[in-house]
Amino acid sequence: MGIFNKFSFIFLVIFLSLSANAEVQRHRFIIQATKVKRLCKTHNTITVNGMFPGPTLEIKNGDTLEVQVVNKARYNVTIHWHGVRQMRTGWADGPEFVTQCPIRPGGSYTYRFTVQGQEGTLWWHAHSSWLRATVYGALIIRPREGKSYPFPKPKRETPILLGEWWDANPIDVVREATRTGAAPNVSDAYTINAQPGDLYKCSSKGTTVVPIDSGETNLLRVINANLNQPLFLKVANHKLTVVGADASYTKPFTTSVLMLGPGQTTDVLIRGDQPPSRYYMAARAYQSAQNAPFDNTTTTAILEYKSASCAAKKCNAPTPIMPSLPAYNDTNTVTAFSQSFRSLERAEVPTDIDESLFFTIGLGLNNCPPNFRKRRCQGPNGTRFTASMNNVSFVLPRNFSLLQAHQQGIPGVFTTDFPANPPLKFDYTGNVSRSLFQPVPGTKLYKLKYGSRVQIVLQDTSIVTPENHPIHLHGYDFYIIAQGFGNFDPKKDTSKFNLVDPPMRNTVGVPVNGWAVIRFVADNPGVWIMHCHLDVHINWGLAMAFLVENGVGELQTIQLPPPDLPIC
């Protein structure tokens, strides 16, 4: 056997051994209105297969998913597989008017993609208007056949989906805000696995119960599916050991409190090491924007020891013990928690940087257009709320998706002149001149060569109000190599860079009045949106998109669009 054939044979054996146990998992999602009763009232809520939250999908690393989405609702819909790398399968990523046109009422589309090299907890959600208020579910990726977790196998696993509930139609809420230019109404409740819990009216009966037994170690897969609010989470009298986040393993660390921004996931081990009883798991807001209204309620589930259960015998169950949660504005606790994350192993962080980018992020206020009546300008001082990156307020196209326009060479849909730096340097976190409050609307992309090594400084600004922004990048994981407060200073802040074991994430919380630095290699061709995962902010334009060019050969080129791709 010649040397070339020998190597080809070895490669084939390795490939076949990896793919031998891989499966194709097929599912059908029916998007439909379902009667859901919460807070004493019944709403016609948009759900998947009549379930709220939607179905949990469980796959192995290396498996392929085929999910046919049938839209029987009265709204356009798309589904985004949050955190899935979508290598060369950008057509399956899901953000409306970015990688596809929406699935119209009565239409259907099949998402097809392979999950490769990722393990842990991700999730899926609607990426069209505010449908993700109720259209979401967990996506659990287990190790390949014969492989195990890098921590002792837990006795049981429980997905914990944190959500937000409006005692109204969420689509109506966002449409009203768009009409008036004001901030949308805040939610009426938070939920754990779609249940508000004991502290809300008409909610005790359905409170989520999380089982545990004395001596057990269980895995909680925590997902913040909220639209607009980062949350603290605690379990009374129990410590939590963090072992993963955003489908990447982490060096284990123990904490009494979690904080997740919308979009983020955290895997934690909990041990049944307390007296058998019932303990509240409670979540409430982390609110970093001063003077901004927010939902200040608390959602609860019950961690229940088997021996304390009253299901099989008639008894008076003890009242659950309540944890003390951090203050709503406890940024110190958030900072200590976020700085505890480290990659499990030495990270392959790009060091020679080809693209060094600096993006300011924040809110803004548009002056009332002359043809608008006062009732359409109900933001501060008769303005309309907006938001931007590098002073560009992102506008989605309406007749084509960005990926379709790129792949088919359709002119006039977007430009590739998104600025690498803010057009003006200023004291980002100080007193900002009112002349900088009004950004420029545009559909501007930033072009990246295949394989380029990218660094982005994400700088919060105090325009209108500083705030912790959860920034999510589609199509990529990235390393968070540093975070800090104030204005990023390359002269002194580069000394804080962790190039050894920084955490790998898909959503980074940019600190309030601060900055974060991320790095990744642009090895996935396509059009990938990067946006704030507070949905109110993406509606206002706090987003941009990267156009990553094809490389050389088939394996560095985006696949052709599927025949059933929805047209606009």
Side-chain angles (χ1 to χ4, degrees), residues 273-488:
D273 58 5
Q274 295 300 304
S277 189
R278 302 165 86 230
Y279 299 84
Y280 273 130
M281 174 186 295
R284 76 175 188 187
Y286 164 51
Q287 177 65 5
S288 59
Q290 288 184 350
N291 304 321
F294 69 100
D295 178 351
N296 63 2
T297 62
T298 302
T299 180
T300 54
I302 298 170
L303 183 77
E304 186 174 79
Y305 281 73
K306 270 190 199 159
S307 44
S309 168
C310 288
K313 53 191 184 295
K314 287 185 178 174
C315 67
N316 291 321
T319 303
I321 299 158
M322 191 70 174
S324 61
L325 286 153
Y328 297 116
N329 63 350
D330 188 350
T331 294
N332 289 342
T333 290
V334 173
T335 305
F337 177 69
S338 62
Q339 291 185 347
S340 300
F341 286 85
R342 296 281 184 276
S343 281
L344 184 60
E345 294 165 347
R346 188 180 177 91
E348 293 177 24
V349 188
T351 48
D352 298 323
I353 299 300
D354 304 304
E355 297 273 3
S356 188
L357 309 175
F358 188 101
F359 292 175
T360 54
I361 56 176
L363 305 185
L365 298 172
N366 279 333
N367 296 331
C368 195
N371 58 331
F372 275 31
R373 294 184 179 178
K374 268 189 180 172
R375 64 171 181 260
R376 296 202 60 193
C377 298
Q378 292 181 28
N381 303 317
T383 59
R384 290 176 60 85
F385 271 109
T386 182
S388 67
M389 288 191 180
N390 277 356
N391 204 46
V392 179
S393 188
F394 194 68
V395 179
L396 286 170
R398 278 285 170 261
N399 298 323
F400 302 95
S401 73
L402 294 170
L403 184 56
Q404 186 187 4
H406 162 57
Q407 204 252 356
Q408 296 176 8
I410 301 165
V413 178
F414 64 82
T415 58
T416 53
D417 56 347
F418 185 87
N421 295 281
L424 191 73
K425 282 189 177 176
F426 57 98
D427 181 3
Y428 308 114
T429 54
N431 280 331
V432 181
S433 162
R434 290 297 294 244
S435 64
L436 296 172
F437 274 41
Q438 190 155 333
V440 178
T443 309
K444 296 173 184 285
L445 278 54
Y446 191 90
K447 197 181 276 191
L448 292 171
K449 280 195 162 50
Y450 183 93
S452 56
R453 294 155 296 191
V454 184
Q455 173 178 295
I456 311 173
V457 176
L458 295 162
Q459 173 72 59
D460 187 30
T461 67
S462 55
I463 296 175
V464 184
T465 180
E467 190 167 358
N468 181 297
H469 294 276
I471 301 294
H472 172 47
L473 174 60
H474 288 228
Y476 288 91
D477 287 322
F478 49 73
Y479 291 108
I480 305 173
I481 60 169
Q483 290 171 287
F485 291 98
N487 298 334
F488 177 77

Side-chain angles (χ1 to χ4, degrees), residues 77-366:
V77 73
T78 65
I79 300 291
H80 170 52
W81 314 91
H82 185 111
V84 172
R85 285 289 318 268
Q86 297 291 0
M87 296 302 290
R88 302 175 50 243
T89 52
W91 305 106
D93 190 41
E96 183 179 58
F97 295 112
V98 178
T99 57
Q100 68 169 97
C101 296
I103 306 166
R104 306 285 183 195
S108 72
Y109 176 48
T110 300
Y111 293 89
R112 296 177 181 85
F113 55 91
T114 300
V115 177
Q116 201 73 267
Q118 295 182 281
E119 290 177 19
T121 306
L122 294 175
W123 63 300
W124 56 265
H125 62 79
H127 212 298
S128 186
S129 185
W130 272 22
L131 281 184
R132 82 172 178 89
T134 54
V135 177
Y136 62 85
L139 173 56
I140 294 168
I141 310 163
R142 302 194 187 285
R144 297 178 191 277
E145 206 77 52
K147 301 284 184 185
S148 59
Y149 299 133
F151 47 83
K153 193 173 191 299
K155 180 79 181 189
R156 75 177 85 220
E157 302 181 10
T158 309
I160 303 291
L161 291 104
L162 307 174
E164 216 167 354
W165 178 262
W166 275 262
D167 204 9
N169 179 347
I171 303 291
D172 292 343
V173 173
V174 69
R175 281 179 177 171
E176 174 68 4
T178 304
R179 193 181 64 75
T180 64
N185 290 345
V186 298
S187 54
D188 296 289
Y190 300 115
T191 58
I192 297 177
N193 293 354
Q195 294 292 342
D198 287 3
L199 307 185
Y200 298 92
K201 60 185 181 182
C202 306
S203 299
S204 295
K205 205 173 174 184
T207 299
T208 297
V209 174
V210 179
I212 197 166
D213 207 3
S214 294
E216 277 184 2
T217 298
N218 294 345
L219 177 65
L220 305 179
R221 298 177 176 274
V222 187
I223 298 163
N224 186 351
N226 269 9
L227 256 74
N228 295 320
Q229 195 63 57
L231 291 176
F232 290 115
L233 177 77
K234 279 185 91 168
V235 182
N237 297 7
H238 288 73
K239 296 277 193 196
L240 302 168
T241 302
V242 176
V243 291
D246 291 0
S248 290
Y249 295 120
T250 62
K251 286 190 174 75
F253 69 93
T254 302
T255 177
S256 63
V257 62
L258 308 179
M259 197 291 287
L260 290 85
Q264 293 185 319
T265 72
T266 307
D267 290 349
V268 297
L269 298 174
I270 184 168
R271 189 161 169 73
D273 58 5
Q274 295 300 304
S277 189
R278 302 165 86 230
Y279 299 84
Y280 273 130
M281 174 186 295
R284 76 175 188 187
Y286 164 51
Q287 177 65 5
S288 59
Q290 288 184 350
N291 304 321
F294 69 100
D295 178 351
N296 63 2
T297 62
T298 302
T299 180
T300 54
I302 298 170
L303 183 77
E304 186 174 79
Y305 281 73
K306 270 190 199 159
S307 44
S309 168
C310 288
K313 53 191 184 295
K314 287 185 178 174
C315 67
N316 291 321
T319 303
I321 299 158
M322 191 70 174
S324 61
L325 286 153
Y328 297 116
N329 63 350
D330 188 350
T331 294
N332 289 342
T333 290
V334 173
T335 305
F337 177 69
S338 62
Q339 291 185 347
S340 300
F341 286 85
R342 296 281 184 276
S343 281
L344 184 60
E345 294 165 347
R346 188 180 177 91
E348 293 177 24
V349 188
T351 48
D352 298 323
I353 299 300
D354 304 304
E355 297 273 3
S356 188
L357 309 175
F358 188 101
F359 292 175
T360 54
I361 56 176
L363 305 185
L365 298 172
N366 279 333

Side-chain angles (χ1 to χ4, degrees), residues 18-96:
L18 283 175
S19 57
N21 296 313
E23 297 173 19
V24 178
Q25 303 232 17
R26 294 180 177 88
H27 299 271
R28 196 164 194 242
F29 279 10
I30 309 289
I31 313 290
Q32 62 192 25
T34 305
K35 291 199 181 313
V36 173
K37 188 175 184 181
R38 295 290 184 275
L39 309 182
C40 318
K41 265 168 70 180
T42 301
H43 292 273
N44 267 335
T45 299
I46 306 301
T47 63
V48 172
N49 300 348
M51 298 167 65
F52 177 50
T56 294
L57 302 184
E58 299 190 34
I59 63 170
K60 297 188 305 295
N61 180 358
D63 283 357
T64 295
L65 265 173
E66 288 189 7
V67 183
Q68 184 193 28
V69 177
V70 180
N71 187 4
K72 293 190 176 177
R74 59 192 176 106
Y75 305 110
N76 292 341
V77 73
T78 65
I79 300 291
H80 170 52
W81 314 91
H82 185 111
V84 172
R85 285 289 318 268
Q86 297 291 0
M87 296 302 290
R88 302 175 50 243
T89 52
W91 305 106
D93 190 41
E96 183 179 58

